[in-house]
Amino acid sequence: MAGAIVKTLAVALLALTFGAAVRAQDTPVPIAVAPGVWMVQGSSALGSSANRNFISNAGFVVTDEGVVVIDALGSPALAEELLEQIRRITTKPVRWVIVTHYHADHIYGLQTFKGAGASVIAQRAAGAYLNSETAQQRLKASRDELFPWIDEHTRLVPADRWIDGAQTLSLGGMDFQLQPVGPSHTPEDLVVYVPALRTLFAGDLVFRGRVPFVGQADSGHWISALDALLAYDIDVVVPGHGPASSTARADLQLTRDYLAHLRKTMGDAARNMEPFEEAYAKADWSRFDKLPLFKAANRINAYNTYLLMEHESR
Ligand SMILES: [Zn+2]
């Protein structure tokens, strides 16, 4: 009993400590990017208790019949704040949350939107991930690493509506083109294009102003997906991380070129059976090494690509 009280007190204290430490830039504040379109921008950092996992973006589009949210942010508390911000802009309800992919920083806020009556829409390939041991392990680790923002009440929320192929959904006279583009960054990558506003919500297919997190991505397919997106008529890209862009082509191109560079340098090394360390040391990273998170992400990106290219060259 006493132990339980001590634990409750400790939790309250921790919440207070981290609550007090929340900085202005760690609070979702809507930025208008097109008529009726807003985004909130997470910081270029790794998820932590201090930033409440506010390291990814979310977007929303206000239509005559309700609001469409794209991605749910990295903790229920952030999603709650985003919902409050949306309510300051419109009295219309959030009808849908479209998930670009099920990485932790984009989905831990889903339960908040679901609780507020929104339907969750995602690409069907996410189902396999949600049922996997990996997803459970990830959540378990997050409950430690991101405590108290992620705790035993945080859960994984499957879609109410699964998307199989390209599909256009309409709300309040606004078309939303949902285009599956996985497996690229993840198997379930989905981008959302609003043709009336020439706005693309690109999820983690496009990283702006930072080195992408490549992980176990299928970079070959990712490059083809970016090539397909380069054909769209786009004024604004809202990426999964970093600021919105009105230089869509350059951003798509940068992500594309980075992936191509990884595949070229690591592919050559893998084919020549050159050890990773040597290949990494002699590769020319000068075009990318000034980008944020280069130090944190490039080496592991290169290593994962080396393994992928070894596998592909077999
Ligand atoms: Zn992300």
Side-chain angles (χ1 to χ4, degrees):
M1 184 65 172
I5 292 171
V6 168
K7 189 168 180 228
T8 309
L9 266 171
V11 170
L13 241 155
L14 256 170
L16 212 73
T17 311
F18 287 123
V22 169
R23 294 164 301 169
Q25 68 263 42
D26 292 330
T27 301
V29 177
I31 304 161
V33 294
V37 184
W38 282 264
M39 71 174 289
V40 296
Q41 189 191 324
S43 52
S44 280
L46 300 176
S48 68
S49 291
N51 62 28
R52 300 186 298 166
N53 209 22
F54 188 30
I55 59 166
S56 66
N57 300 340
F60 59 96
V61 182
V62 179
T63 79
D64 289 345
E65 283 173 33
V67 181
V68 177
V69 172
I70 294 93
D71 284 345
L73 298 179
S75 58
L78 289 172
E80 199 61 60
E81 286 172 21
L82 174 56
L83 202 49
E84 275 168 30
Q85 294 284 355
I86 293 172
R87 283 172 181 150
R88 286 187 196 177
I89 289 170
T90 176
T91 53
K92 303 219 163 60
V94 175
R95 297 281 302 277
W96 306 332
V97 182
I98 304 172
V99 181
T100 62
H101 64 297
Y102 265 81
H103 275 173
D105 51 327
H106 301 258
I107 56 131
Y108 284 153
L110 277 176
Q111 64 194 56
T112 303
F113 290 103
K114 177 104 175 132
S119 298
V120 178
I121 301 171
Q123 209 273 329
R124 191 177 297 280
Y129 171 72
L130 284 172
N131 291 322
S132 71
E133 189 56 30
T134 313
Q136 290 306 324
Q137 293 298 335
R138 180 71 258 168
L139 178 58
K140 210 162 155 262
S142 296
R143 284 173 176 152
D144 286 333
E145 291 158 13
L146 302 170
F147 184 83
W149 309 108
I150 303 300
D151 63 12
E152 73 273 20
H153 302 296
T154 314
R155 60 179 203 278
L156 299 170
V157 179
D160 298 296
R161 183 166 177 177
W162 293 110
I163 299 295
D164 289 301
Q167 201 172 333
T168 299
L169 304 177
S170 295
L171 188 70
M174 187 85 78
D175 280 353
F176 294 81
Q177 292 181 5
L178 278 56
Q179 177 67 50
V181 286
S184 297
H185 180 66
T186 66
E188 70 273 16
D189 291 312
L190 187 68
V191 300
V192 182
Y193 177 60
V194 185
L197 303 166
R198 289 203 287 274
T199 298
L200 178 76
F201 295 90
D204 284 3
L205 238 61
V206 183
F207 284 74
R208 185 168 190 232
R210 58 161 274 196
V211 163
F213 169 63
V214 176
Q216 308 303 315
D218 180 340
S219 50
H221 193 273
W222 189 345
I223 290 171
S224 342
L226 287 169
D227 284 338
L229 294 179
L230 277 162
Y232 282 40
D233 185 11
I234 306 169
D235 284 346
V236 179
V237 170
V238 178
H241 300 266
S245 166
S246 51
T247 51
R249 184 157 288 275
D251 296 334
L252 291 167
Q253 200 71 51
L254 179 71
T255 304
R256 187 202 179 285
D257 291 353
Y258 176 72
L259 295 172
H261 187 65
L262 284 178
R263 288 179 65 86
K264 171 80 176 80
T265 51
M266 295 301 117
D268 287 350
R271 267 185 305 277
N272 299 331
M273 303 221 265
E274 185 180 5
F276 169 73
E277 293 300 335
E278 275 172 38
Y280 187 80
K282 80 170 200 215
D284 177 7
W285 303 110
S286 58
R287 186 172 164 205
F288 308 104
D289 63 9
K290 310 289 180 297
L291 294 173
L293 294 187
F294 177 85
K295 278 203 170 64
N298 189 61
R299 188 185 180 81
I300 187 73
N301 284 344
Y303 186 63
N304 280 330
T305 307
Y306 182 85
L307 297 181
L308 178 74
M309 299 314 288
E310 263 189 330
H311 187 78
E312 283 186 16
S313 67
R314 249 176 234 144

